[in-house]
Amino acid sequence: EAGYKGEKIQLVGERGRWLKDGETVETVGQMLRDAGFNIEIQMLSFQSWLGVLFDRPKAPDMIFTNHSNDIFDADRTFSTFIHSKGPASSYPDTLDSKIEQARSELDPAKRQALYEEIGQTAYDTAAWIPLVNIKDIYGMQKFVEWQPREDQRLTVFEMTLQ
């Protein structure tokens, strides 16, 4: 219905930077093949992958990336994935001015409203697909009591020793 006629679609990933990254790329590629898409997977070293990620004119059709937001600010996600100049964005510049406005808005309620509007638009016109929430793996001595956080922050003040 969308007019796809079997053209080759390049999916670029890398192996060894994030937990199960290569396996995830291969799984997604196979799922797309199973849905009828002609997927070509290209696995790169992390350094080469970074070169592809930040070379917008040579962007592949699809690229696997990982994203965290340990600063708890929507601007990091929106500037990376939705702002038209973001390294992982495939959006047109229609939301750029709102992202820039929200970034410098000092009124928390106005900033929140702008981010909610941007988020809803991104949800309604998704150009990327979040797949998994990776939990970090930590090694600790038995005498350390600490519950890892979902945001990947290491908060020593939350740790206790027995």
Side-chain angles (χ1 to χ4, degrees):
E1 290 177 22
Y4 178 70
K5 295 181 179 32
E7 303 90 341
K8 187 181 338 180
I9 299 171
Q10 184 182 37
L11 170 57
V12 173
E14 52 71 49
R15 186 182 306 277
R17 170 65 176 93
W18 297 291
L19 182 65
K20 300 290 186 183
D21 49 9
E23 291 88 341
T24 302
V25 172
E26 291 171 358
T27 300
V28 168
Q30 189 58 52
M31 292 168 80
L32 290 167
R33 285 185 196 110
D34 292 347
F37 292 95
N38 181 8
I39 300 295
E40 175 186 88
I41 296 175
Q42 182 180 9
M43 298 298 261
L44 303 174
S45 69
F46 185 65
Q47 188 63 34
S48 296
W49 176 87
L50 284 173
V52 170
L53 180 67
F54 291 105
D55 189 353
R56 301 280 308 217
K58 295 180 182 176
D61 300 313
M62 299 173 75
I63 190 166
F64 171 83
T65 186
N66 189 24
H67 178 66
S68 63
N69 194 349
D70 52 0
I71 60 173
F72 302 117
D73 192 336
D75 184 65
R76 178 168 184 192
T77 300
F78 292 158
S79 291
T80 300
F81 291 101
I82 298 171
H83 194 287
S84 66
K85 292 185 176 40
S89 176
S90 58
Y91 278 85
D93 63 2
T94 54
L95 291 172
D96 288 1
S97 63
K98 282 191 195 271
I99 293 169
E100 292 161 10
Q101 180 185 354
R103 180 183 302 144
S104 59
E105 178 57 63
L106 298 179
D107 181 309
K110 289 179 183 175
R111 182 179 171 107
Q112 180 70 31
L114 284 165
Y115 281 147
E116 286 178 10
E117 184 180 343
I118 296 163
Q120 187 63 54
T121 301
Y123 176 83
D124 293 341
T125 60
W128 42 272
I129 303 167
L131 296 176
V132 294
N133 184 10
I134 298 173
K135 293 187 178 217
D136 289 342
I137 299 171
Y138 301 94
M140 296 183 291
Q141 291 285 349
K142 291 180 182 179
F143 59 84
V144 177
E145 288 191 15
W146 177 65
Q147 182 63 41
R149 297 164 50 117
E150 293 291 325
D151 59 22
Q152 302 173 324
R153 293 186 80 162
L154 294 174
T155 50
V156 175
F157 65 88
E158 294 177 344
M159 298 177 187
T160 58
L161 304 177
Q162 298 301 318

